[in-house]
Amino acid sequence: MASHIVGYPRMGPKRELKFALESFWDGKSNAEELQKVAVDLRASIWKQMADAGIKYIPSNTFSYYDQLLDTTAMLGAVPPRYGWNGGEIGFDVYFSMARGNASVPAMEMTKWFDTNYHYIVPELGPDVKFTYASHKAVDEYKEAKALGVDTVPVIVGPVSYLLLSKPAKGVEKSFSLLSLLDKIIPIYKEVIAELKAAGASWIQFDEPKLVMDLDSHQLQAFTHTYSELESALSGLNVLIETYFADVPVEAYHTVTALKGVTAFGFDLVRGTKTLDLIKGRFPSGKYLFAGVVDGRNIWANDLAASLSTLQALEGIVGKDKLVVSTSCSLLHTAVDLVNETKLDKELKSWLAFAAQKIVEVNALAKALAGQNDEAFFSANAAAQASRRTSPRVTNEAVQKAAAALKGSDHRRATNVSVRLEAQQKKLNLPLLPTTTIGSFPQTMDLRRVRREYKAKKISEDDYVKAIKEEINKVVQIQEELDIDVLVHGEPERNDMVEYFGEQLSGFAFTVNGWVQSYGSRCVKPPIIYGDVSRPEAMTVFWSTMAQSMTKRPMKGMLTGPVTILNWSFVRNDQPRFETCYQIALAIKDEVEDLEKAGITVIQIDEAALREGLPLRKSEQAFYLDWAVHSFRITNCGVQDTTQIHTHMCYSNFNDIIHSIIDMDADVITIENSRSDEKLLSVFREGVKYGAGIGPGVYDIHSPRIPSTEEIVDRITKMLAVLESNILWVNPDCGLKTRKYTEVKPALSNMVAAAKAVRTQLASTK
């Protein structure tokens, strides 16, 4: 009985790759040193899987930044602005595409399906000259082989690659990306030929776009591509891997009929309907890679339940054709539970990280083959039972309060235009008010203070004094820059979700449960294991301290319920919306306490609202309904004069703009600059937005400092589609990851630009 892993985290159990990348980018280490860290990480991952008994071990799922960017490099699809002149793509061009450089901006980054991972969006057009420009897939296959591990090279499939791309700047929006298929297929053929020559016997094409709502033209592209590749693939076993959702009926029939394909991988955790399709019809003689171990969560698998699913499938596809797999790449889960020293024994028994999931996959494969590890299975059954009955999971009062929400839609009593007038009387802000999104740079000193306080090396008094000094510094900087609505800079916060989770009941935290978000950036999602409530105020102390340092409005800064939900590992024993309503009630208590304490502007970030959107249209309305409702619950009780802001990050909002309006916030700040101002097109197309809005005027994910003229140009573009009395001027996102040497000049130029446009507007009146 065989086992397979779709993909594995690349950062390393202690974020070794992150530190190596950042050291390289800062010029503190060279390319060889970075490559050495990568080689060691890959070797340890392959060895770990081989030692666990995994048969189909993936290669080329490692990446220095992102797997889609790796595919762009493989195809030589480098946008002209990076000045690449052919040859093998090196770090210089690769990281310029990912991060920008002193003279040109980075490529756009967006969410990978409905995960919190981000990929670099390929920019394509009719004139792109594709060439085989990165031999990474072949090199890594050979590297593993030299270590005695025969792997399955993993490549993003040609159709998904094109469907995940966008037309480059200057290319018609209506340009058909799929028209490039016949230009990239020859490159894929070269890669396949090299892999064959190197001795590969299997190849995995990730075609996750198959789980989306595709039209017949798009489905036809899969049929065309794999019949074009059929002769190149002959002699190889070919696995088409899908993940993150059910495969729709038409897509299922298309994919299972593909020529030259040996095996199909399906996510059977999020794709329960696919199970019915397989039971209805599965092509004889083909392999089924059954994704029964959840690659997107940290809960231990219910082995008994998975085994019965697998046994049913065995009857359909045959014993020798069933392979036990993960539901998707383990990239989306934490690396190794072994490194968790602070979790209690009971909770730990409920969990499995990537390293443990490998063991689960193998245990299931062995059990199917009649080699059941009795001790392992019975420990698993005991853990499942303890989780179902543990008193720490349920809080009756919380359950009651959440159940009582059902009768109302929790809207504020007055219309947004009336509220904005009342707020303006109180706040007296200029036209085009300036603000920032929340966080200010987190210096090494600041991180040290937090670390020492956590380790009880400094007293609470010393900690409060240090944080107070930092807030004071941030307030002074903003006043000197003449920013209108201030923030306290969040020096006391490690992460916008973890900070709140640590103060809410029902949450647990890891020490090393890091998950890659993009590039070297990792997040450490909290674990929501039980009912959620707020024992006491979480932010009032710091917000009121910050407000006492200035006469200007100081924003109270909260993370919204949907973002806390979407950026956590969520309990899988009740519907997600029930957990979300519980969090909303906890945040509502905090909003009302901030208002009582005299905070007149409160920002409730919903950075991740869009990313929780189900992949299939048929499921989206229900999600948006409860997600938007959860946001409204948090602030339905405040006075008209209290201004509620929200912030949203990287995402394509155009399709959910009506839900965003329905959130009924007074002001929304939104990512805009890195996606070529796609956002503004919504308003050009006539969507009327009456609340305040601040589309980001510069990209904070790049070290580049935008000029005043550039920002003036951005604001002017915005004014072509938005009224001047609702427009705010702000960066794209929080400034936590930037340095003060970048932040001060950038904000100075931003304020200067806002003032310049105010002057222009006044003179034209």
Side-chain angles (χ1 to χ4, degrees):
M1 205 31 80
S3 50
H4 166 251
I5 305 295
V6 176
Y8 201 78
R10 348 127 159 175
M11 279 296 138
K14 301 267 175 85
R15 292 183 293 162
E16 292 83 350
L17 183 61
K18 171 194 172 68
F19 300 119
L21 282 166
E22 290 172 0
S23 164
F24 175 71
W25 293 336
D26 289 344
K28 292 175 186 161
S29 58
N30 60 29
E32 286 71 40
E33 290 166 291
L34 172 57
Q35 282 160 335
K36 166 123 184 44
V37 171
V39 165
D40 291 348
L41 272 174
R42 290 193 293 264
S44 73
I45 290 166
W46 290 324
K47 184 180 182 317
Q48 184 185 351
M49 291 195 213
D51 290 351
I54 300 297
K55 181 173 178 183
Y56 299 111
I57 296 172
S59 60
N60 200 38
T61 61
F62 172 86
S63 179
Y64 285 105
Y65 207 93
D66 162 55
Q67 69 270 18
L68 234 77
L69 183 61
D70 294 348
T71 315
T72 295
M74 179 183 92
L75 297 168
V78 180
R81 65 179 176 278
Y82 300 107
W84 174 65
N85 299 316
E88 185 81 2
I89 288 171
F91 282 157
D92 189 28
V93 171
Y94 181 85
F95 288 130
S96 292
M97 290 193 284
R99 308 178 67 236
N101 59 37
S103 53
V104 289
M107 292 168 74
E108 185 190 346
M109 182 162 69
T110 197
K111 300 286 183 194
W112 178 243
F113 294 84
D114 58 350
T115 72
N116 184 32
Y117 177 78
H118 303 68
Y119 74 94
I120 301 290
V121 184
E123 301 171 13
L124 305 176
D127 304 330
V128 178
K129 301 273 181 283
F130 295 99
T131 55
Y132 186 12
S134 164
H135 292 63
K136 177 179 174 293
V138 180
D139 294 343
E140 287 185 19
Y141 173 77
K142 289 177 175 171
E143 189 183 307
K145 200 167 183 188
L147 296 168
V149 183
D150 189 23
T151 59
V152 178
V154 178
I155 298 174
V156 176
V159 187
S160 289
Y161 175 77
L162 292 177
L163 292 175
L164 288 161
S165 304
K166 68 171 187 178
K169 222 176 182 160
V171 173
E172 285 295 317
K173 289 271 183 287
S174 59
F175 172 70
S176 163
L177 293 157
L178 290 176
S179 67
L180 299 172
L181 265 175
D182 290 333
K183 293 186 178 178
I184 69 172
I185 286 172
I187 316 289
Y188 275 86
K189 286 180 176 171
E190 286 185 67
V191 181
I192 292 162
E194 283 196 10
L195 284 169
K196 261 190 187 171
S201 58
W202 278 82
I203 185 167
Q204 173 179 323
F205 290 112
D206 280 9
E207 291 282 15
K209 269 290 188 180
L210 280 162
V211 304
M212 305 296 282
D213 297 306
L214 300 179
D215 60 35
S216 56
H217 169 64
Q218 292 166 321
L219 288 173
Q220 178 54 39
F222 287 95
T223 308
H224 169 73
T225 299
Y226 288 93
S227 68
E228 283 295 305
L229 289 173
E230 188 182 7
S231 58
L233 290 167
S234 74
L236 274 175
N237 286 296
V238 180
L239 164 63
I240 301 285
E241 184 63 57
T242 68
Y243 34 77
F244 301 148
D246 284 304
V247 176
V249 180
E250 300 79 6
Y252 178 79
H253 293 318
T254 301
V255 72
T256 51
L258 290 177
K259 291 199 166 135
V261 175
T262 327
F264 310 99
F266 297 115
D267 179 339
L268 301 180
V269 176
R270 289 182 176 232
T272 43
K273 291 182 193 143
T274 308
L275 210 49
D276 297 332
L277 293 174
I278 295 166
K279 287 173 181 170
R281 195 188 86 187
F282 190 77
S284 69
K286 304 286 187 184
Y287 289 86
L288 171 62
F289 281 59
V292 292
V293 172
D294 192 350
R296 287 184 59 171
N297 220 321
I298 40 63
W299 303 110
N301 190 276
D302 182 341
L303 296 177
S306 294
L307 191 57
S308 75
T309 300
L310 290 164
Q311 282 162 341
L313 290 170
E314 196 177 51
I316 297 157
V317 304
K319 211 176 183 59
D320 59 333
K321 292 287 190 270
L322 183 62
V323 179
V324 183
S325 185
T326 54
S327 65
C328 61
S329 172
L330 298 176
L331 177 68
H332 310 288
T333 189
V335 182
D336 196 343
L337 197 53
V338 170
N339 299 314
E340 296 310 323
T341 46
K342 302 228 169 114
L343 291 173
D344 64 82
K345 202 173 159 210
E346 180 186 42
L347 190 59
K348 219 167 161 175
S349 76
W350 301 346
L351 307 178
F353 292 1
Q356 288 66 45
K357 289 176 188 289
I358 288 177
V359 176
E360 290 181 337
V361 166
N362 201 56
L364 285 165
K366 283 171 85 170
L368 264 185
Q371 302 159 5
N372 197 330
D373 181 339
E374 301 271 329
F376 188 69
F377 269 72
S378 63
N380 175 272
Q384 298 292 327
S386 97
R387 196 177 152 209
R388 277 192 295 271
T389 56
S390 174
R392 67 200 286 191
V393 172
T394 332
N395 176 333
E396 300 248 333
V398 172
Q399 297 258 353
K400 257 198 191 114
L405 292 171
K406 305 237 163 39
S408 159
D409 64 359
H410 300 91
R411 288 180 190 277
R412 286 171 77 178
T414 39
N415 182 295
V416 68
S417 52
V418 176
R419 300 196 308 258
L420 287 172
E421 267 177 44
Q423 291 155 15
Q424 180 54 15
K425 275 187 192 135
K426 189 166 187 173
L427 299 171
N428 195 24
L429 298 170
L431 201 60
L432 310 178
T434 52
T435 190
T436 63
I437 303 303
S439 58
F440 262 62
Q442 299 237 334
T443 59
M444 296 299 261
D445 284 349
L446 185 56
R447 290 173 198 270
R448 194 197 69 246
V449 166
R450 281 206 313 262
R451 232 183 3 254
E452 288 178 351
Y453 176 58
K454 214 167 184 176
K456 300 192 167 47
K457 286 181 184 165
I458 57 170
S459 70
E460 185 167 3
D461 286 353
D462 287 344
Y463 171 71
V464 169
K465 186 167 165 254
I467 297 292
K468 185 176 181 177
E469 275 169 21
E470 183 68 24
I471 292 174
N472 200 27
K473 179 180 92 175
V474 168
V475 170
Q476 275 178 349
I477 289 170
Q478 292 172 94
E479 291 198 321
E480 281 160 21
L481 289 165
D482 202 18
I483 291 174
D484 301 307
V485 175
L486 310 194
V487 296
H488 76 293
E490 304 176 16
E492 78 287 11
R493 303 186 191 183
N494 42 9
D495 170 90
M496 62 184 283
V497 173
E498 187 169 319
Y499 179 75
F500 290 96
E502 282 175 340
Q503 302 183 73
L504 294 167
S505 59
F507 281 76
F509 292 85
T510 62
V511 180
N512 284 298
W514 297 98
V515 180
Q516 184 182 10
S517 172
Y518 64 86
S520 68
R521 173 129 169 85
C522 298
V523 292
K524 193 151 59 75
I527 296 168
I528 305 179
Y529 66 83
D531 289 337
V532 177
S533 61
R534 184 197 76 144
E536 56 188 12
M538 303 182 281
T539 64
V540 175
F541 175 76
W542 299 114
S543 287
T544 48
M545 177 194 285
Q547 183 63 79
S548 72
M549 296 173 183
T550 180
K551 295 206 157 42
R552 300 179 187 218
M554 172 63 64
K555 285 199 273 198
M557 298 298 307
L558 305 175
T559 303
V562 188
T563 297
I564 291 177
L565 184 88
N566 285 339
W567 285 356
S568 297
F569 287 124
V570 182
R571 56 192 290 194
N572 56 0
D573 59 348
Q574 70 176 16
R576 285 173 77 85
F577 67 85
E578 287 186 16
T579 305
C580 199
Y581 285 153
Q582 293 178 358
I583 305 168
L585 288 168
I587 300 297
K588 179 178 192 281
D589 292 345
E590 188 70 15
V591 168
E592 288 165 11
D593 281 353
L594 281 168
E595 185 183 57
K596 279 186 202 116
I599 303 296
T600 53
V601 181
I602 301 169
Q603 181 169 311
I604 307 163
D605 282 345
E606 281 296 13
L609 185 116
R610 172 70 175 70
E611 87 186 33
L613 193 67
L615 297 175
R616 301 282 273 291
K617 290 199 171 62
S618 59
E619 296 159 22
Q620 291 175 356
F622 177 63
Y623 165 79
L624 288 167
D625 186 53
W626 63 253
V628 169
H629 187 187
S630 296
F631 177 82
R632 288 200 308 262
I633 287 167
T634 63
N635 60 86
C636 63
V638 301
Q639 298 165 26
D640 285 359
T641 48
T642 298
Q643 189 164 79
I644 299 292
H645 287 227
T646 190
H647 172 68
M648 294 186 159
C649 294
Y650 284 141
S651 270
N652 184 0
F653 295 106
N654 301 19
D655 50 353
I656 63 158
I657 192 71
H658 294 290
S659 296
I660 292 174
I661 294 169
D662 201 35
M663 288 167 75
D664 199 27
D666 297 309
V667 178
I668 179 168
T669 52
I670 207 159
E671 185 273 333
N672 171 61
S673 69
R674 192 160 174 173
S675 52
D676 288 336
E677 298 160 352
K678 264 196 302 221
L679 171 75
L680 295 183
S681 66
V682 178
F683 302 110
R684 275 190 209 103
E685 284 152 22
V687 169
K688 286 281 169 269
Y689 192 73
I693 184 165
V697 295
Y698 79 93
D699 175 20
I700 65 88
H701 293 83
S702 167
R704 215 177 136 262
I705 295 158
S707 66
T708 303
E709 296 70 33
E710 194 180 313
I711 299 176
V712 165
D713 181 51
R714 283 236 154 94
I715 297 171
T716 310
K717 274 188 190 161
M718 293 171 190
L719 287 170
V721 290
L722 293 163
E723 296 293 327
S724 58
N725 64 340
I726 62 168
L727 189 64
W728 285 63
V729 176
N730 46 264
D732 257 353
C733 226
L735 306 169
K736 174 170 142 177
T737 58
R738 297 266 61 91
K739 298 180 171 73
Y740 273 107
T741 49
E742 299 156 354
V743 164
K744 284 182 185 171
L747 290 179
S748 172
N749 293 350
M750 182 186 88
V751 172
K755 288 179 174 174
V757 179
R758 275 175 209 154
T759 309
Q760 280 170 18
L761 289 170
S763 65
T764 53
K765 278 191 180 151

